Amino acid sequence: MGMYDIFSNLLGILATVVFYKSLSCLIEIRTEWWRRLLLLFGSWPLMFMVIFIGDIVNLPPTILIFLFCFWNAGKGSGLKRLTIGLMFASIMLAFNGLCDNCIDFFIDTWYISRSMWRLGFALLLYLGVRKQKSNRDFELAPSLWKLLLMLCAAPLGIVFSLVLLTSPFIDSSTVILSNMSLFIIAIFSFVGILRAMIVLNRHQNLEREIVLSEQNKKYYEAMEHQQFEIRRLKHDLANHLQVLLALPLEEKNNYIQKMIENPAFDKVLSYSGDATVNAVLTAKESLMRQKEIQFYAKIDIPKELPFEKPDICALFANALDNAADGCALLPTQKRQVELTARAAKGILAVEIRNSCKEFDEENKEKLIRYKDKLPKTTKTDSVNHGYGLKSIQEIVKKYHGNMELKQENETFCLFCFLPVNRITIC
């Protein structure tokens, strides 16, 4: 093997690695080493396979091998893996066809130049995908994935028609220019579909943020309404006393009992120097009592927090609601929620621990940390539920903070901190 062949192979290996990195920017790759190696193996033919017009042998097995390897290595729904895998394989094969049939016709290049062309295109693809900064674990609705697959049909049909149905014996410059135009159209079509997928993901994330913001706002408005009712009923206490004086003894006792049962007469506990925190914890303390959950709160917040009131309300309320739901199915004696919150040295730190279902015997000592993905909701209606942790995550990001989740045997822990002095919103 000559030096040019060795150098060409090294360029091909580098192009394969760059292509692999491009894939990992848009989809999570499974952690098992053999799956990652399998994906590298499946990407290798895309970089090295020569795609000649009229050659029906190379194209079909190359794309099938890659899709098989990508399917086993990638995470996400089947439609997501099929769509992304098909787009990446097709765009690379379209460029290979352009390079091998058109560029080489006009530019007399050695074999090593083909590897350089492929490496350059793989680098452009990687830089373009990386610039989008998309979350790798994103998911679109099945109808959107199907739509993207339908859009892939036209450029994919162009590539297959050029390679499988065109005669290889026509090599006039006019035909080559026509084929070049079609290959370029196919490449730009796949790039446009890839861009559309990323835009759809961003639009979906924006809609989710709007939904979470509206939920947080309604949560706070409901809390404000409750506090207004408390103030109104307490203000009317004199009128209630006058009614009591005029009622007969039997009706008087019933009237007093109804007043006692009214939540407006519950005592608003003073946990901290922030009125919103006090209102939320008072309401959630009552909820814990109703669900027979032992609730312990250790709060050190000496003054009003500099965050928006709906965000404070949503942060504490969602966290406590999730904790209550997490231990509600346990026996009464095991239900426990502990809240620790402190605002000091420029940081608001909040930690909530709740009892939860224990691991099985095999995983009794196991510790689960949720880093990139949030745990799934335990409720059956996952469409209308499961927004609590997402809402907390968005609030933490909004104020440049951080959130950590972990589960160890019978305890689930949520910890987050937000800079108190840095209140510039993203």
Side-chain angles (χ1 to χ4, degrees):
M1 182 181 292
M3 289 298 298
Y4 284 113
D5 291 332
I6 295 175
F7 189 51
S8 177
N9 289 334
L10 290 176
L11 290 177
I13 293 173
L14 183 57
T16 303
V17 174
V18 174
F19 184 76
Y20 173 91
K21 296 294 289 183
S22 301
L23 291 170
S24 63
C25 288
L26 283 182
I27 192 169
E28 286 186 290
I29 309 300
R30 299 183 186 274
T31 56
E32 294 91 339
W33 66 269
W34 64 271
R35 293 184 186 272
R36 294 174 178 266
L37 191 62
L38 183 67
L39 181 56
L40 282 169
F41 170 78
S43 302
W44 178 275
L46 293 177
M47 300 297 112
F48 275 86
M49 190 61 66
V50 178
I51 306 297
F52 284 132
I53 288 177
D55 186 357
I56 64 174
V57 177
N58 290 340
L59 181 61
T62 300
I63 195 169
L64 289 176
I65 289 173
F66 171 76
L67 288 177
F68 172 79
C69 297
F70 183 73
W71 182 276
N72 284 278
K75 289 184 179 181
S77 64
L79 283 172
K80 177 181 179 179
R81 284 177 285 168
L82 177 61
T83 305
I84 295 179
L86 192 62
M87 280 194 294
F88 270 83
S90 301
I91 194 174
M92 201 67 225
L93 290 174
F95 178 79
N96 289 353
L98 174 68
C99 180
D100 298 335
N101 297 278
C102 304
I103 297 178
D104 281 357
F105 181 82
F106 294 103
I107 304 174
D108 187 15
T109 58
W110 292 346
Y111 180 72
I112 190 174
S113 298
R114 288 177 175 171
S115 298
M116 295 179 66
W117 282 109
R118 283 159 167 74
L119 175 59
F121 185 75
L123 283 170
L124 286 175
L125 185 63
Y126 169 69
L127 293 174
V129 172
R130 184 184 178 186
K131 186 179 179 181
Q132 303 302 322
K133 297 181 180 179
S134 177
N135 293 327
R136 297 178 301 167
D137 60 345
F138 77 95
E139 271 291 353
L140 299 178
S143 58
L144 293 178
W145 287 124
K146 292 176 182 177
L147 175 62
L148 292 173
L149 278 174
M150 290 177 61
L151 294 175
C152 288
L156 188 61
I158 292 175
V159 175
F160 271 80
S161 298
L162 284 172
V163 176
L164 304 182
L165 303 180
T166 305
S167 174
F169 302 107
I170 304 175
D171 58 354
S172 67
S173 59
T174 303
V175 174
I176 297 299
L177 282 174
S178 176
N179 293 341
M180 177 183 287
S181 300
L182 291 174
F183 274 124
I184 292 174
I185 290 172
I187 291 172
F188 275 95
S189 297
F190 283 120
V191 171
I193 297 170
L194 189 62
R195 173 65 180 168
M197 180 186 69
I198 295 172
V199 171
L200 285 173
N201 175 39
R202 288 182 177 177
H203 181 69
Q204 183 174 266
N205 290 338
L206 181 61
E207 286 186 338
R208 188 187 69 183
E209 291 175 5
I210 293 173
V211 169
L212 292 177
S213 178
E214 289 296 321
Q215 285 185 345
N216 294 345
K217 185 178 179 180
K218 289 179 180 179
Y219 216 143
Y220 178 70
E221 288 176 350
M223 194 69 63
E224 281 286 288
H225 179 72
Q226 182 181 5
Q227 294 300 309
F228 172 77
E229 288 297 315
I230 292 174
R231 292 191 295 269
R232 183 181 64 81
L233 289 174
K234 288 184 176 180
H235 181 268
D236 293 341
L237 186 58
N239 295 329
H240 290 297
L241 294 176
Q242 291 178 2
V243 172
L244 285 172
L245 290 174
L247 288 175
L249 181 60
E250 295 180 1
E251 296 183 20
K252 185 181 299 185
N253 291 335
N254 292 332
Y255 192 89
I256 294 174
Q257 185 62 36
K258 289 181 180 180
M259 289 179 61
I260 294 174
E261 293 173 357
N262 194 313
F265 286 94
D266 286 347
K267 182 180 179 181
V268 179
L269 303 178
S270 181
Y271 288 93
S272 70
D274 189 287
T276 304
V277 174
N278 292 337
V280 173
L281 297 190
T282 299
K284 298 309 173 185
E285 194 271 341
S286 176
L287 174 68
M288 301 290 180
R289 285 203 312 269
Q290 294 174 14
K291 293 186 176 183
E292 299 181 283
I293 300 173
Q294 301 178 58
F295 179 53
Y296 305 96
K298 185 178 180 181
I299 312 296
D300 183 13
I301 302 176
K303 57 184 179 180
E304 289 282 334
L305 295 171
F307 311 117
E308 294 182 12
K309 300 302 181 184
D311 292 337
I312 298 174
C313 177
L315 175 66
F316 282 90
N318 282 316
L320 290 172
D321 282 343
N322 286 342
D325 291 338
C327 60
L329 299 178
L330 297 175
T332 305
Q333 65 274 16
K334 289 188 176 183
R335 299 175 189 174
Q336 182 172 313
V337 174
E338 299 179 10
L339 167 64
T340 305
R342 185 183 184 190
K345 298 181 179 179
I347 291 178
L348 170 65
V350 179
E351 182 182 69
I352 297 180
R353 292 178 173 270
N354 65 273
S355 51
C356 61
K357 185 178 179 181
E358 65 179 343
F359 295 136
D360 52 34
E361 283 298 323
E362 294 182 2
N363 301 313
K364 197 143 182 126
E365 303 300 324
K366 190 174 181 181
L367 172 65
I368 298 180
R369 295 183 183 273
Y370 300 91
K371 295 182 179 179
D372 300 324
K373 296 182 65 176
L374 299 177
K376 295 181 179 179
T377 178
T378 56
K379 298 179 180 178
T380 55
D381 185 9
S382 59
V383 176
N384 297 316
H385 295 95
Y387 285 98
L389 287 176
K390 292 179 183 177
S391 178
I392 297 171
Q393 188 180 56
E394 293 298 327
I395 293 169
V396 170
K397 287 182 179 179
K398 179 179 179 180
Y399 295 103
H400 314 282
N402 192 21
M403 181 178 79
E404 297 177 3
L405 302 171
K406 64 180 180 180
Q407 181 177 351
E408 187 172 10
N409 201 18
E410 296 181 329
T411 303
F412 187 89
C413 176
L414 181 153
F415 174 78
C416 61
F417 66 86
L418 292 80
V420 174
N421 295 330
R422 185 184 179 186
I423 57 174
T424 302
I425 301 175
C426 296

